[in-house]
């Protein structure tokens, strides 16, 4: 019902319509949201976004998505059990999130059970086996990066003792590192001790201290949260390390010989783009050197240039042919 005073109803109505139109234009200009399928994005992390390795990479990827697609993003730390993950997914669903990243292989099991309950959400996890239609598992095949880093370690060791401190036995970069060391230096003695947790810094440091005491002069701490503290300990002792996930040369380029890198932040942006376009496949998708997601980090200036050139040539050959130096 229209209420008019002094016969001005038509003029007033036109004025109101004009004001509403202007407000609509201004609102759309100031809040231009994404026009594709991507609405809101959630991230679940087992430990912290401040670990300077795996967790930090995931957080950077989330920020890239926010910047590029102008959508709301959310993250939760300490998501390390089924019950907390269930609550987080329910909360994200209520917020209108339609793309959730579980930042680690742990979420493969959780998402396998939860995804049928949330058909309007697409779930992404890592190094798992996705079987449901709204789940994608990103397989990071880092065997080759481990192999090339192992070659570096085998070349640079002085004591012929190299220690590997992985989180789990299944990590492909660990097997690759072992094979790379053996290819480069048949006299090298390797010691592998598993932490059985990506975030147990105390146990990883204890293993590192034992290895250092037994004259292991190069350590490869392949774990999300413990790579940095182990490298810092190695640096204190004047020894060498191989970085993990990020280019960790900034911790000391005369300590960190190179790093096995996983460009997870780039992968976040890539998968979000595909989802936005309706092109993200369910199931398992594998990434290696050829995708520029897996790579080797900065080489230490203490490594001879001739050897660096040799490694770079081997990497280029692998990209082109898929063949490693021992094949």
């Amino acid at each position: 019902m229209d209420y008019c005073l002094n016969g001005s109803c038509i003029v007033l109505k036109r004025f109101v319509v004009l004001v509403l139109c202007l407000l609509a234009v201004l609102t759309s200009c100031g809040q231009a949201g994404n026009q594709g399928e991507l609405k809101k994005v959630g991230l679940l992390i087992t430990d912290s976004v401040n670990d300077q390795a795996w967790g930090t990479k995931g957080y950077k990827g989330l920020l890239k998505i926010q910047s590029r697609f102008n959508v709301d993003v959310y993250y939760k730390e300490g998501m390390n059990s089924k019950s907390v993950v269930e609550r987080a997914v329910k909360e994200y669903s209520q917020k209108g999130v339609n793309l959730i990243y579980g930042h680690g292989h742990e979420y493969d099991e959780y998402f396998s059970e939860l995804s049928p309950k949330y058909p309007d959400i697409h779930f992404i996890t890592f190094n798992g086996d996705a079987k449901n239609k709204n789940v994608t598992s990103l397989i990071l095949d880092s065997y080759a990066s481990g192999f090339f880093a192992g070659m570096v370690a085998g070349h640079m060791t002085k004591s012929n003792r190299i220690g590997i401190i992985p989180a789990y036995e299944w990590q492909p970069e660990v097997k690759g590192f072992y094979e790379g060391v053996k290819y480069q230096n048949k006299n090298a003695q390797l010691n592998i001790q598993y932490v059985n947790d990506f975030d147990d810094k105390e146990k990883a440091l204890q293993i590192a201290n034992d290895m250092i005491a037994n004259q292991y002069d190069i350590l490869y701490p392949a774990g999300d949260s413990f790579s940095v503290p182990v490298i810092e300990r190695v640096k204190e002792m004047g020894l060498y390390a191989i970085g993990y996930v990020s280019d960790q040369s900034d911790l000391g380029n005369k300590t960190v010989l190179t790093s096995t890198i996983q460009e997870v932040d780039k992968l976040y942006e890539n998968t979000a783009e595909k989802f936005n376009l309706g092109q993200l496949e369910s199931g398992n998708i594998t990434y290696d050197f050829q995708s520029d997601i897996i790579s080797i980090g900065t080489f230490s200036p203490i490594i001879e240039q001739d050897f660096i050139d040799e490694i770079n040539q081997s990497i280029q050959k692998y990209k082109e042919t898929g063949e490693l130096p021992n094949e």
Side-chain angles (χ1 to χ4, degrees):
M1 182 179 294
D2 294 324
Y3 294 94
C4 305
L5 296 173
N6 298 323
S8 60
C9 179
I10 295 176
V11 175
L12 180 60
K13 286 174 68 178
R14 288 177 177 172
F15 176 74
V16 170
V17 170
L18 177 62
V19 170
L20 290 175
C21 288
L22 287 172
L23 286 174
V25 171
L26 290 172
T27 300
S28 64
C29 289
Q31 299 177 355
N34 180 56
Q35 301 302 308
E37 294 190 14
L38 185 65
K39 303 305 178 186
K40 297 181 180 181
V41 182
L43 169 64
L44 304 177
I45 291 183
T46 56
D47 189 43
S48 169
V49 300
N50 297 312
D51 61 9
Q52 299 181 58
W54 179 250
T56 301
K57 281 275 191 176
Y59 180 63
K60 287 181 178 178
L62 191 67
L63 294 181
K64 284 185 176 182
I65 292 173
Q66 181 186 43
S67 175
R68 177 168 177 181
F69 299 100
N70 192 24
V71 294
D72 291 336
V73 300
Y74 310 91
Y75 74 92
K76 290 181 176 292
E77 300 172 301
M79 297 290 103
N80 51 19
S81 72
K82 180 180 177 181
S83 59
V84 297
V85 169
E86 286 179 341
R87 289 196 296 269
V89 170
K90 182 178 180 180
E91 181 181 330
Y92 281 165
S93 176
Q94 293 170 344
K95 289 179 181 291
V97 169
N98 68 338
L99 182 64
I100 296 179
Y101 290 85
H103 196 60
H105 79 287
E106 301 92 342
Y107 297 98
D108 178 58
E109 180 181 351
Y110 303 146
F111 288 175
S112 179
E113 294 183 21
L114 285 169
S115 54
K117 302 176 185 178
Y118 299 92
D120 295 330
I121 298 176
H122 197 99
F123 296 83
I124 295 180
T125 185
F126 290 83
N127 299 320
D129 186 15
K131 296 177 181 177
N132 298 334
K133 63 180 181 180
N134 58 333
V135 182
T136 300
S137 181
L138 308 177
I139 311 299
L140 302 176
D141 187 358
S142 47
Y143 177 91
S145 65
F147 188 95
F148 294 123
M151 287 179 64
V152 173
H155 178 74
M156 293 298 294
T157 181
K158 295 180 174 62
S159 68
N160 278 335
R161 291 191 170 193
I162 298 170
I164 310 174
I165 310 174
Y168 296 100
E169 186 175 359
W170 56 260
Q171 291 174 255
E173 59 270 19
V174 174
K175 183 178 180 181
F177 186 84
Y178 184 95
E179 297 295 337
V181 170
K182 284 298 186 182
Y183 168 78
Q184 186 65 37
N185 184 347
K186 292 179 172 55
N187 296 319
Q189 177 183 340
L190 290 108
N191 183 0
I192 305 178
Q193 295 193 39
Y194 299 97
V195 178
N196 293 313
D197 192 310
F198 274 113
D199 304 314
D200 192 339
K201 303 179 186 69
E202 183 176 347
K203 183 175 180 180
L205 280 170
Q206 183 58 57
I207 293 172
N209 286 332
D210 290 344
M211 288 181 172
I212 291 169
N214 284 285
Q215 298 182 345
Y216 288 83
D217 63 346
I218 299 179
L219 302 186
Y220 178 35
D224 298 348
S225 295
F226 60 74
S227 65
V228 172
V230 168
I231 289 173
E232 289 174 342
R233 176 60 175 152
V234 168
K235 184 177 179 179
E236 290 175 4
M237 301 303 295
L239 303 173
Y240 303 128
I242 302 295
Y244 179 67
V245 171
S246 299
D247 189 335
Q248 295 182 318
S249 59
D250 58 345
L251 298 175
N253 65 0
K254 293 185 179 179
T255 298
V256 179
L257 300 174
T258 189
S259 303
T260 56
I261 297 178
Q262 299 172 7
E263 299 285 3
V264 182
D265 49 342
K266 185 188 298 184
L267 191 53
Y268 267 51
E269 189 176 7
N270 175 272
T271 50
E273 179 182 17
K274 289 183 178 179
F275 178 78
N276 191 52
L277 296 172
Q279 299 173 356
L280 181 62
E281 299 176 1
S282 59
N284 304 329
I285 304 174
T286 300
Y287 297 87
D288 197 348
F289 262 93
Q290 291 80 358
S291 64
D292 293 326
I293 298 299
I294 305 298
S295 62
I296 285 289
T298 305
F299 291 106
S300 171
I302 68 173
I303 303 174
E304 314 93 290
Q305 188 59 49
D306 287 347
F307 185 73
I308 293 175
D309 292 341
E310 178 185 336
I311 291 288
N312 284 331
Q313 289 171 8
S314 296
I315 291 173
Q316 185 59 38
K317 180 181 178 182
Y318 177 73
K319 286 183 176 182
E320 295 171 357
T321 67
E323 294 182 1
L324 289 167
N326 64 340
E327 295 175 329

